[in-house]
Amino acid sequence: MIYPAEACYHSVMDSLKEISQRKLVDILDRIPGKKDLVIDPALMKPLDKITGVNMLRAHGVEKIHKMEKSEVISSCSSLVFLVYADLITAKHVVDQVQASRQRDSKLLYHLVLVPCGLLPINQLIEEEGLYGIVNVHVFAWELIPIDSHVLSFEIPHLYRTCFLNGDYSLLKSVAKSLWSLQMVFGKIPLVLSLGKLSKIVQNMVSGHFEDFGKPDVAVNKIGYMVIMDRSIDYTSSLLTSVTYTGLLDEVFGIKCGAVEFGKDVTGKANPVTYQLSSKDEIYNEIKNKHFADVYPTLKTRAKELEAHFAQLKAADLNTLKHHIKNEIRIVMTKRQSLSYHIGACEGIIGSMGGKYQELQNVEENIVRGRSKKESILYIENCLARQMSYTLALRLISLLSITEGWLTYDEVGSLKSQFLHAYGYKHLVTFHNMEKVGLFSTPTPSSSSAFGGVGDIANRVVQVVSLPKTNTFRLVAQKLKLFPDGNNVQDLKDPSAMGYVFNGLYIPLVCQLVHLLLKKEPKSVIEEQLKSVPGPSLWSEEVLMGSQSSNRARVVLVVVIGGVTQAEIGALQLLEKLTNSRIIIAGTSMLNGNLLMQQLVQS
Amino acid sequence: MELKPKGKISMEDELLVLRRKVQNRWEAPPVEETLRRILLRLPFSLDAYRSLEEKTKLLDAALEQGNGDAILSNRWEAPPVEETLRRILLRLPFSLDAYRSLEEKTKLLDAALEQGNGDAILSLPELNNLLESLGRSREASIIQFNLAMRGVDNARTNPSRSQRVLNSLRNCLASHFSNGAAEMDRPFIVNAIKLFEWQMAADEKFKSMKGESSAEECTLGLAALATLSHSCRYHWEGNKPKSGVTDPLSPSALCQSLGISQRAYQWTALKVKAQEHNWEAGWFQGIRLIGGGSGAPMADVAAELHSQGAPEDVVVRYINLVEGIEERIALANRLQCYNAAIDIMKSQGDRLGIIKLKSRLPTGSEGELYAELILRSSTIRWKN
């Protein structure tokens, strides 16, 4: 089904890209003469999505260097550093400038910060005596379209700075980008924000409408916005998704909508960066499919293609000519796409194959709150065999979040075994996990083997406080995040969002969007959200009678801290089921492994 | 900024407005107004916020808003904590004298801890004491420990510093993990120290055994299980009769000292011995213990041995320990131990199963011939 205003959304999405492009070009144009560009390697992929080498060249860029430790020698009049705004990176730039000035005092230096300026960086430049020598610019890019209706702000370190370090400097950029998005799409009449950071962002956005202006656009193209902190629903980022894209991300890692395939997948000597796009017919068909159904689909398509080639063999000259002229390119692209996806499937089976079913069972047991001992045993086996540390941490976190009743000894023993396998330095990782709410240490019981000082008072407290109310279960029950077990559904042809986790769990944000689309009254939704930890904020524009009932069935979902492929898959299914349009945005794309990596002290 | 008044305004009104502005010059404007100006990067002044109350109000509002710039640009009597932390981080001169009140100190520490760049800060005794005095011992301890562990990482490339690293670990334990909230992590620190001591001794021993040190075999800084691998490789007791005195470098001694689980020990040993192609049957019987009777790990053991190139009879021995006939057959097929699969089916009298398997095997292959042989046998009582 094609949504009536489909084309319109595509063009508006493209306009976000154009605004970013314009902003970058403006900065480059403000720097006179030829310049060399030194780019933070982490910025390469997002920049590819915004601009190309040709465009940079057209605006005076001579050479493009990756920023490394060694200093860049430039023959141009200006040297432009393009980096993420981060004090340490800025210090590296400053060091390079100092070194370069020893040799060539005529060169002009520019520092372009993404996505915002930071006061400490300006102070650093002043202190190093480089004020007026290094010119600071800010490149506040807009949300970057990754695929159709999927946007990303591509600030992966936002999770760490905001959630772990409690440094909110980056939030103002997020707010600004949501403001500019509404300048293009029209002001969103109903906004629901969930969590502390989301509330801050929403308040900033409201402020921006007062200060920077409101959109002229008469029609509100987007009817609803939901902003949520990642910390509200960690479960969706810890569980293993069963969709094709989810597993692709799990095994190969999707970066900025592209995935790097090695020799085993492509059969080519050099790794190939493959852009995942819904415009690719094959990918579009399988992207959200349950993995069990992907291989058969690909096989069918491969057979069709074979049949097509067989037909050609028997075809007469005219048909062949027609084919070569019109179809061959499409067919060849399709063939390549097919072969890559088949290769990727094999890669996924090879990497997950043996453990997949078992892992699914363990995740299911943990989420359903049963067979705790078995789950612990599984984790212990993973640790003993030194399998991936991120997998072990994910399961430990999942257990800690969902099981309100992990004992002090169980926690201590898991921690101890983890430290044996991966090093005592990870004591800090556990501490970080505690800080962000992914792990908790219960109070020691009197029988503790871990040096707890058990006195009677402690024991009494323990007895009295049991059974603990588990927030996870409370929230899940209130919001009906556990799919109905009696209503067994065909996972291959899903009719409910829980399919992304094999019918185990529905991502919280998706359920919330569903409630909004069902036009549940405010009071009902607010009641359901009461159990969710963290503040929620409901801001609604007062609309004229007819307008409110005709609110566009278009939802913008924003996850601060990163959105997961499972959430995207579930929302895209919801879109189909409810005949609505859902635009998904994250401060970055996230999965369980990336989440854990952010918590390991570098 | 535009200096013209908004809309039409009479001269008298303007005069009034201006007079009020001049009069109010030294009164603090509402915090919301100031924060808005900071957020919009308009000129602003914080000079008028002089009383502690006003300052607190402004700071609270800034925190509530998440307005980091406002927090940073605030010229408190003491420099903003972020400013001080930044100076410490970049190794610029700084002073902590101005942080007098408990509130200021706490804020400084909070920010320091949140930044997680404790290495510079905690090398400073005054801050260290501060953390303790504020009852933030757990966080302080963890950061202090992190700092000491970096030394452990460095010791790997520079073993001559290991004694110093060991001392810093011991100091850390004594001064940070002996009481208070951090005590719960004490056992881990104790073990980290034991492990490091063990590694120093093992590297010394290795040097004396081989007459030279090898960077590859250096254990300093490795995790406990990786160290255990080293122990299994070079200090293996195997089936040697116990002399009564346990070698402190032996795997069992290491496990006991650190509390490494039996399961982790067996997996580690299994991997090492498999890599050495040492298929001491008697020893591997010990693997039975893994998993406490549940079937899955046995299959994992067989798969691991197979992937390490163990001879088929060794692998088959473990396949036969897997519970459930179906599982055994499936595993034997997966690990390409076809003869074993055929044997299992034979014992079940499953003729059709063998025929089915035979049809999948290449003609003339060993498995195919074996299947043929079994099928022709007249002594077997088939059930199908």
Side-chain angles (χ1 to χ4, degrees):
Chain A
M1 193 214 63
I2 292 173
Y3 197 79
E6 193 69 358
C8 156
Y9 284 99
H10 277 300
S11 69
V12 180
M13 296 276 216
D14 282 343
S15 62
L16 288 177
K17 179 176 154 181
E18 276 161 28
I19 297 172
S20 300
Q21 218 168 54
R22 188 76 246 160
K23 283 182 171 175
L24 180 62
V25 162
D26 279 350
I27 294 170
L28 291 175
D29 286 348
R30 277 207 298 275
I31 302 168
K34 296 276 177 206
K35 48 232 154 205
D36 278 352
L37 195 57
V38 185
I39 305 180
D40 189 344
L43 281 175
M44 290 285 192
K45 282 222 162 75
L47 273 182
D48 269 351
K49 286 269 174 191
I50 295 171
T51 182
V53 177
N54 289 340
M55 177 159 284
L56 293 176
R57 290 220 191 288
H59 293 271
V61 173
E62 282 282 290
K63 280 187 197 150
I64 300 171
H65 307 267
K66 246 188 202 180
M67 185 159 145
E68 280 159 4
K69 283 210 174 112
S70 59
E71 172 204 337
V72 171
I73 296 170
S74 170
S75 52
C76 292
S77 59
S78 302
L79 193 55
V80 183
F81 293 89
L82 181 58
V83 298
Y84 273 125
D86 156 75
L87 194 56
I88 302 290
T89 317
K91 175 77 174 141
H92 289 320
V93 172
V94 162
D95 288 346
Q96 288 209 9
V97 171
Q98 297 286 28
S100 155
R101 268 167 59 80
Q102 306 258 314
R103 211 171 0 82
D104 180 1
S105 57
K106 285 194 197 110
L107 206 57
L108 299 169
Y109 302 94
H110 295 265
L111 173 60
V112 184
L113 298 172
V114 178
C116 58
L118 290 181
L119 211 64
I121 294 182
N122 293 340
Q123 287 168 352
L124 169 76
I125 289 170
E126 195 180 326
E127 242 151 42
E128 294 262 348
L130 293 174
Y131 185 86
I133 292 162
V134 174
N135 291 298
V136 181
H137 310 260
V138 171
F139 174 29
W141 65 30
E142 302 297 331
L143 282 157
I144 300 169
I146 299 291
D147 196 0
S148 67
H149 304 113
V150 179
L151 302 165
S152 168
F153 203 42
E154 285 304 306
I155 309 288
H157 49 281
L158 185 137
Y159 177 78
R160 194 182 162 91
T161 53
C162 289
F163 288 85
L164 181 63
N165 299 345
D167 168 3
Y168 298 164
S169 316
L170 289 167
L171 291 184
K172 60 175 185 254
S173 308
V174 178
K176 194 73 185 290
S177 74
L178 291 179
W179 170 79
S180 21
L181 183 129
Q182 293 182 65
M183 291 304 279
V184 180
F185 278 93
K187 193 169 177 199
I188 302 172
L190 178 56
V191 180
L192 181 56
S193 71
L194 213 56
K196 189 173 157 199
L197 306 189
S198 298
K199 191 178 160 194
I200 289 178
V201 168
Q202 175 51 16
N203 283 336
M204 281 183 179
V205 175
S206 311
H208 285 346
F209 282 124
E210 300 304 316
D211 297 322
F212 297 138
K214 293 188 174 106
D216 300 330
V217 191
V219 193
N220 304 315
K221 293 203 180 75
I222 302 178
Y224 310 80
M225 170 155 75
V226 177
I227 320 178
M228 183 187 83
D229 288 12
R230 180 70 276 165
S231 56
I232 297 287
D233 180 21
Y234 275 131
T235 314
S236 295
S237 51
L238 295 172
L239 289 171
T240 314
S241 165
V242 295
T243 66
Y244 176 62
T245 312
L247 284 168
L248 207 56
D249 190 27
E250 182 85 38
V251 173
F252 294 94
I254 301 175
K255 281 198 190 109
C256 213
V259 61
E260 198 163 281
F261 287 138
K263 198 173 168 234
D264 344 342
V265 173
T266 61
K268 291 177 184 158
N270 294 324
V272 174
T273 304
Y274 185 72
Q275 198 64 46
L276 298 168
S277 158
S278 299
K279 286 179 189 146
D280 169 352
E281 200 185 312
I282 305 275
Y283 176 66
N284 196 37
E285 190 180 357
I286 57 173
K287 63 178 180 184
N288 289 332
K289 267 193 195 290
H290 190 288
F291 189 69
D293 199 24
V294 173
Y295 211 74
T297 310
L298 288 176
K299 234 176 169 175
T300 319
R301 293 287 161 271
K303 272 193 188 140
E304 283 169 12
L305 209 62
E306 259 171 52
H308 182 81
F309 280 116
Q311 257 181 5
L312 279 183
K313 267 190 189 162
D316 59 43
L317 201 61
N318 274 340
T319 327
L320 264 182
K321 263 189 194 161
H322 174 83
H323 175 80
I324 291 170
K325 209 170 161 190
N326 300 309
E327 288 170 34
I328 191 144
R329 186 169 294 180
I330 306 168
V331 174
M332 291 319 268
T333 325
K334 211 167 161 182
R335 187 153 105 168
Q336 191 185 42
S337 154
L338 254 177
S339 94
Y340 283 178
H341 289 298
I342 290 176
C345 269
E346 279 162 0
I348 291 170
I349 294 168
S351 148
M352 303 287 288
K355 62 180 180 186
Y356 184 66
Q357 193 51 47
E358 217 180 334
L359 182 62
Q360 284 285 320
N361 291 344
V362 171
E363 286 182 355
E364 180 170 351
N365 283 340
I366 295 180
V367 170
R368 297 217 191 284
R370 63 187 187 206
S371 320
K372 181 169 73 163
K373 284 234 160 64
E374 269 175 45
S375 306
I376 292 180
L377 188 70
Y378 180 84
I379 299 175
E380 286 177 343
N381 268 319
C382 288
L383 294 173
R385 302 183 65 178
Q386 293 180 276
M387 287 152 86
S388 120
Y389 77 93
T390 50
L391 175 72
L393 283 180
R394 278 165 71 171
L395 290 173
I396 293 174
S397 291
L398 199 59
L399 205 57
S400 183
I401 291 176
T402 57
E403 291 272 347
W405 54 89
L406 268 188
T407 68
Y408 183 74
D409 286 356
E410 282 165 340
V411 165
S413 150
L414 278 175
K415 205 165 154 182
S416 162
Q417 292 179 53
F418 186 91
L419 299 178
H420 283 150
Y422 304 104
Y424 288 104
K425 61 178 180 223
H426 283 290
L427 200 55
V428 187
T429 308
F430 279 97
H431 186 72
N432 289 344
M433 279 160 63
E434 266 184 57
K435 261 175 109 176
V436 300
L438 278 168
F439 186 72
S440 58
T441 311
T443 40
S445 67
S446 53
S447 61
S448 157
F450 275 83
V453 217
D455 52 30
I456 293 173
N458 255 345
R459 242 178 288 169
V460 170
V461 169
Q462 271 251 314
V463 172
V464 172
S465 64
L466 283 175
K468 267 193 235 159
T469 38
N470 182 332
T471 323
F472 166 76
R473 272 177 217 292
L474 199 67
V475 173
Q477 269 154 18
K478 273 261 166 168
L479 281 159
K480 303 193 179 64
L481 302 184
F482 298 136
D484 191 355
N486 301 326
N487 181 12
V488 178
Q489 47 163 326
D490 183 2
L491 292 170
K492 290 183 183 174
D493 184 19
S495 58
M497 293 182 284
Y499 92 99
V500 294
F501 293 127
N502 226 0
L504 185 60
Y505 179 79
I506 300 170
L508 191 149
V509 73
C510 307
Q511 190 71 313
L512 206 56
V513 172
H514 196 185
L515 288 176
L516 286 174
L517 284 172
K518 278 201 289 193
K519 298 219 164 107
E520 292 282 352
K522 182 181 172 188
S523 56
V524 172
I525 296 182
E526 281 189 327
E527 172 58 31
Q528 300 210 9
L529 288 179
K530 263 188 192 160
S531 52
V532 176
S536 58
L537 181 72
W538 179 290
S539 2
E540 193 169 1
E541 294 266 294
V542 183
L543 296 173
M544 296 301 158
S546 66
Q547 270 181 304
S548 79
S549 55
N550 289 333
R551 193 179 280 143
R553 286 177 68 76
V554 180
V555 189
L556 172 67
V557 176
V558 184
V559 184
I560 310 252
V563 66
T564 67
Q565 293 297 344
E567 284 164 332
I568 296 175
L571 286 169
Q572 288 181 344
L573 173 70
L574 183 66
E575 189 172 53
K576 265 192 220 158
L577 296 177
T578 56
N579 191 17
S580 58
R581 169 57 68 213
I582 301 174
I583 302 167
I584 305 150
T587 50
S588 66
M589 295 291 156
L590 190 76
N591 63 36
N593 299 333
L594 293 175
L595 178 69
M596 290 306 165
Q597 281 160 16
Q598 297 233 7
L599 295 173
V600 174
Q601 203 80 29
S602 49
Chain B
M1 272 300 277
E2 189 67 56
L3 281 175
K4 275 186 197 159
K6 278 184 195 165
K8 280 197 175 170
I9 184 169
S10 73
M11 286 296 263
E12 277 131 49
D13 285 344
E14 192 172 357
L15 191 65
L16 260 173
V17 169
L18 287 175
R19 186 173 294 149
R20 200 177 305 137
K21 273 203 172 163
V22 174
Q23 280 167 351
N24 292 352
R25 171 67 183 87
W26 306 109
E27 270 173 35
V31 289
E32 293 75 20
E33 172 60 20
T34 304
L35 289 175
R36 194 181 68 90
R37 297 188 72 90
I38 297 175
L39 200 65
L40 301 183
R41 304 197 173 269
L42 297 173
F44 64 93
S45 157
L46 300 174
D47 295 344
Y49 299 91
R50 269 167 302 174
S51 73
L52 181 63
E53 193 196 338
E54 282 166 339
K55 288 178 186 188
T56 318
K57 222 168 116 191
L58 181 63
L59 183 62
D60 283 349
L63 286 169
E64 168 82 4
Q65 232 188 44
N67 188 337
D69 288 339
I71 302 163
L72 285 185
S73 47
N74 235 328
R75 294 287 161 211
W76 311 102
E77 281 159 352
V81 294
E82 284 79 359
E83 162 70 14
T84 303
L85 293 179
R86 194 182 60 83
R87 299 192 72 93
I88 298 173
L89 192 71
L90 300 175
R91 319 214 173 240
L92 298 168
F94 70 96
S95 154
L96 299 176
D97 298 343
Y99 299 93
R100 265 166 264 134
S101 74
L102 186 69
E103 202 184 335
E104 282 169 337
K105 287 176 185 174
T106 318
K107 201 167 147 343
L108 178 65
L109 289 174
D110 272 345
L113 294 168
E114 271 169 3
Q115 271 193 10
N117 61 45
D119 53 347
I121 304 153
L122 289 167
S123 48
L124 301 157
E126 61 260 55
L127 259 176
N128 234 328
N129 298 340
L130 249 174
L131 278 166
E132 298 286 349
S133 69
L134 288 168
R136 316 279 311 236
S137 57
R138 177 136 188 256
E139 282 172 278
S141 310
I142 293 281
I143 291 182
Q144 184 69 282
F145 173 68
N146 189 32
L147 183 65
M149 285 310 281
R150 278 189 207 172
V152 171
D153 279 346
N154 294 338
R156 197 167 165 73
T157 45
N158 194 357
S160 61
R161 298 184 55 173
S162 40
Q163 190 56 46
R164 218 193 305 168
V165 172
L166 183 62
N167 289 344
S168 78
L169 274 173
R170 282 179 182 153
N171 284 340
C172 175
L173 176 73
S175 49
H176 294 279
F177 290 90
S178 301
N179 49 41
E183 208 189 340
M184 61 184 281
D185 286 324
R186 186 181 165 84
F188 303 124
I189 320 299
V190 170
N191 283 349
I193 294 173
K194 278 191 205 159
L195 176 64
F196 196 73
E197 286 168 338
W198 193 96
Q199 290 170 336
M200 283 170 72
D203 286 355
E204 202 53 43
K205 175 89 180 173
F206 187 82
K207 209 167 144 188
S208 68
M209 270 180 353
K210 307 273 169 183
E212 59 182 288
S213 58
S214 136
E216 260 173 47
E217 294 303 331
C218 166
T219 58
L220 282 178
L222 291 182
L225 293 192
T227 310
L228 182 61
S229 294
H230 174 95
S231 173
C232 288
R233 202 163 281 137
Y234 298 105
H235 306 283
W236 185 245
E237 305 139 302
N239 293 333
K240 270 184 263 168
K242 290 228 165 87
S243 57
V245 188
T246 330
D247 174 8
L249 293 182
S250 71
S252 57
L254 181 62
C255 287
Q256 206 178 8
S257 143
L258 299 180
I260 294 174
S261 72
Q262 187 73 4
R263 185 178 296 110
Y265 167 51
Q266 282 166 342
W267 272 113
T268 309
L270 173 73
K271 278 190 193 159
V272 171
K273 294 299 143 193
Q275 276 160 18
E276 288 175 354
H277 288 220
N278 177 352
W279 320 112
E280 283 172 73
W283 184 81
F284 280 125
Q285 281 300 325
I287 295 295
R288 255 175 190 283
L289 293 169
I290 293 187
S294 83
M298 263 309 133
D300 290 343
V301 172
E304 175 72 32
L305 286 169
H306 174 77
S307 72
Q308 298 284 359
E312 194 169 319
D313 62 306
V314 176
V315 179
V316 168
R317 216 177 304 151
Y318 291 95
I319 293 177
N320 284 332
L321 291 175
V322 172
E323 273 175 36
I325 299 295
E326 290 300 315
E327 286 78 9
R328 256 181 241 175
I329 297 172
L331 181 66
N333 276 322
R334 189 154 66 83
L335 301 183
Q336 294 165 6
C337 299
Y338 299 118
N339 290 7
I342 294 166
D343 281 339
I344 303 167
M345 287 189 272
K346 183 182 87 179
S347 68
Q348 299 297 305
D350 182 6
R351 195 172 58 94
L352 293 179
I354 300 182
I355 294 175
K356 204 171 152 200
L357 173 60
K358 182 176 165 258
S359 69
R360 284 199 297 118
L361 298 174
T363 324
S365 67
E366 197 197 332
E368 201 245 355
L369 294 176
Y370 186 63
E372 185 68 42
L373 185 78
I374 297 294
L375 286 173
R376 263 201 245 127
S377 156
S378 55
T379 54
I380 303 164
R381 190 170 293 166
W382 299 110
K383 287 186 186 144
N384 54 24

